[in-house]
Amino acid sequence: MLDKLRKDIRAVFDAGLQAADPKEALRHSMRVTEDNRLIVGDHTYDLMNFRRILVVGAGKAASPMAQALEDILGERIKGGHVTTKYGHGRPLAYISLREAGHPVPDEEGVKGSGDIVALLEGANAQDLVLCLISGGGSALMPLPAEGLSLAEKQQTTQILLECGATIHEINAIRKHISRIKGGRLAKLAYPASVITLILSDVVGDDLDVIASGPTVADRSTFADCLRILDAYKVRDKVPAAVRAYLERGGVGEEEETPKSGDSFFEKTVNHIVGSAGTSLKAAEERARSLGYRTLILSSCIEGETREVAKVHAAIAKEVTLSGNPLKPPACIISGGETTVTLRGNGKGGRNTEFALAAAIAIDDIPGVVILSGGTDGTDGPTDAAGAVVDGDTVNHALEKGKQAAEYLEDNNSYTFFENSGELLITGPTMTNVMDLRIMLISRYVPR
């Protein structure tokens, strides 16, 4: 039975992953008509009114999105540059591409941002700029604010990742120490028309948070940034230059990020081409086709990873005991992005940590399999997307001398699953719509 559940759960995950394919998402969102009109969502543009079409962007899915754009627009594209994560690049004909560091930005990312700035500085009212944004765009489009260095941005990003800050909080600070994020890209491109095509990796699909909202009015402020640093007790840990810059901004001595109502946003359209919701629905459809009753909990799950795992495991237990909230065979799905507060020195990411905490919670419970996987194919600094566990996982590891609780306490989830056959390995998926968590429950185990 467990073998079938494991086979089914991977099929459900793969269906969700396929639905997030950036090429297909973009092709379904835009088209060019026979009379040379570009239709994007509810917006129509007469391409005869533009002198040039320029393409810019960044993210883990930037390369396949650019390929799809080239398929649609071809030689109408007169220039462009996108930046993607190392190992995620694909051949492009009309758009230049650079690979750079993620999640911590590097010099290649700075060079890529410089290429984008140089291209847009010459844009005018007769130009149409297409901006491609996907998960990872914040790290892959770094351009430090005046007086700050890349090393200081790198250190700040690392501190925020390690303290357990949410992606919303991290990006609020990224926007305020950048020359290109938080709406500044739209300002730079003005008076050109801008269409931003977005593959969302953010809970709630908040436009100003996805890749730090380079073409979106920013709701966060310098004061918010300082509150975030204080909430996680890291104000004194970030580099002195970053702290000083944010503090100057807090008293109005540095220019705030662009806000709603600024005139240059009138020529900017932001359009989401794909998100976690699309993947969750596709995964649900696949589970139903395999004979499972289904429930999507939420696409907006946040919180401390191991605590979220306990809640999911408790729901799975309830299904086995009472048939609530649905009777077995059941498939329960959720999406979102949790956070890990580093307590130890081990190797892992939020998905393998979720799987390990869930495995401890369902220890010795038969007929339950749980998967947690990143749709980008990577989980922290590892080659895994996540892991798949069941009620025998903890005992099998114990037979090999591995104490699950000790590995969890040391944030060493990847090492716990290494060589067990339970790691979820997909390779680069060229997309990112947050994480996908799936639970399959095959039968009752009544009280």
Side-chain angles (χ1 to χ4, degrees), residues 36 64 133 258 321 384:
N36 219 28
I133 294 298
L321 294 171

Side-chain angles (χ1 to χ4, degrees), residues 36-92:
N36 219 28
R37 295 180 185 274
L38 175 65
I39 299 175
V40 181
D42 296 330
H43 298 269
T44 300
Y45 298 81
D46 187 345
L47 295 181
M48 297 301 292
N49 292 334
F50 297 101
R51 177 175 61 97
R52 297 185 302 171
I53 295 177
L54 305 176
V55 180
V56 298
K60 297 175 189 176
S63 183
M65 290 177 78
Q67 285 182 321
L69 207 56
E70 289 190 341
D71 290 344
I72 294 168
L73 294 169
E75 60 186 16
R76 294 183 181 91
I77 298 172
K78 301 305 180 185
H81 176 82
V82 296
T83 304
T84 194
K85 183 178 179 178
Y86 289 120
H88 285 55
R90 295 294 182 270
L92 296 172

Side-chain angles (χ1 to χ4, degrees), residues 313-333:
I315 295 170
K317 289 179 186 177
E318 190 62 38
V319 173
T320 68
L321 294 171
S322 69
N324 289 313
L326 70 171
K327 295 178 180 179
C331 175
I332 299 174
I333 305 168

Side-chain angles (χ1 to χ4, degrees), residues 163-434:
C163 76
T166 68
I167 189 64
H168 292 68
E169 294 166 333
I170 293 171
N171 283 359
I173 293 174
R174 279 171 163 167
K175 284 184 278 191
H176 281 83
I177 59 176
S178 169
R179 282 189 281 156
I180 201 169
K181 300 184 178 75
R184 291 188 174 102
L185 187 65
K187 184 177 181 179
L188 179 66
Y190 187 81
S193 297
V194 177
I195 306 171
T196 303
L197 303 164
I198 302 166
L199 190 66
S200 173
D201 70 328
V202 167
V203 171
D205 298 332
D206 292 338
L207 291 174
D208 66 328
V209 178
I210 303 166
S212 299
T215 60
V216 183
D218 183 25
R219 292 176 295 173
S220 68
T221 65
F222 279 108
D224 292 328
C225 294
L226 295 172
R227 281 194 290 269
I228 292 165
L229 295 180
D230 290 340
Y232 291 97
K233 298 180 173 60
V234 295
R235 190 191 285 216
D236 293 334
K237 295 181 181 180
V238 300
V242 171
R243 180 172 65 252
Y245 182 84
L246 293 175
E247 288 173 347
R248 288 197 303 273
V251 295
E253 295 177 2
E254 296 289 350
E255 186 181 7
E256 257 292 358
T257 48
K259 305 302 179 190
S260 178
D262 286 342
S263 59
F264 46 85
F265 287 124
E266 294 175 2
K267 300 191 72 174
T268 299
V269 169
N270 294 282
H271 182 71
I272 293 179
V273 300
S275 66
T278 305
S279 286
L280 293 178
K281 290 176 183 176
E284 181 183 40
E285 289 174 6
R286 181 64 172 138
R288 284 177 178 167
S289 74
L290 292 170
Y292 294 91
R293 299 181 180 91
T294 62
L295 173 66
I296 295 177
L297 285 180
S298 172
S299 64
C300 303
I301 300 291
E302 296 181 281
E304 184 68 27
T305 298
R306 60 184 67 180
E307 298 305 318
V308 175
K310 289 178 184 177
V311 173
H312 278 66
I315 295 170
K317 289 179 186 177
E318 190 62 38
V319 173
T320 68
L321 294 171
S322 69
N324 289 313
L326 70 171
K327 295 178 180 179
C331 175
I332 299 174
I333 305 168
S334 75
E337 189 167 291
T338 59
T339 52
V340 174
T341 301
L342 291 180
R343 301 169 175 85
N345 300 303
K347 182 179 181 181
R350 60 180 178 266
N351 286 290
T352 50
E353 178 143 328
F354 180 99
L356 180 53
I360 294 171
I362 62 169
D363 186 26
D364 282 334
I365 297 178
V368 177
V369 174
I370 298 177
L371 178 153
S372 183
T375 54
D376 61 353
T378 56
D379 187 42
T382 77
D383 61 353
V388 186
V389 299
D390 58 49
D392 293 333
T393 293
V394 171
N395 285 330
H396 285 162
L398 189 59
E399 292 170 0
K400 299 176 182 177
K402 290 184 175 182
Q403 295 278 355
E406 292 179 4
Y407 280 80
L408 182 62
E409 187 61 28
D410 195 33
N411 298 117
N412 203 13
S413 52
Y414 178 88
T415 307
F416 177 86
F417 292 115
E418 206 168 17
N419 302 319
S420 72
E422 293 179 304
L423 287 173
L424 178 64
I425 305 292
T426 64
T429 64
M430 317 301 289
T431 190
N432 187 14
V433 290
M434 297 184 287

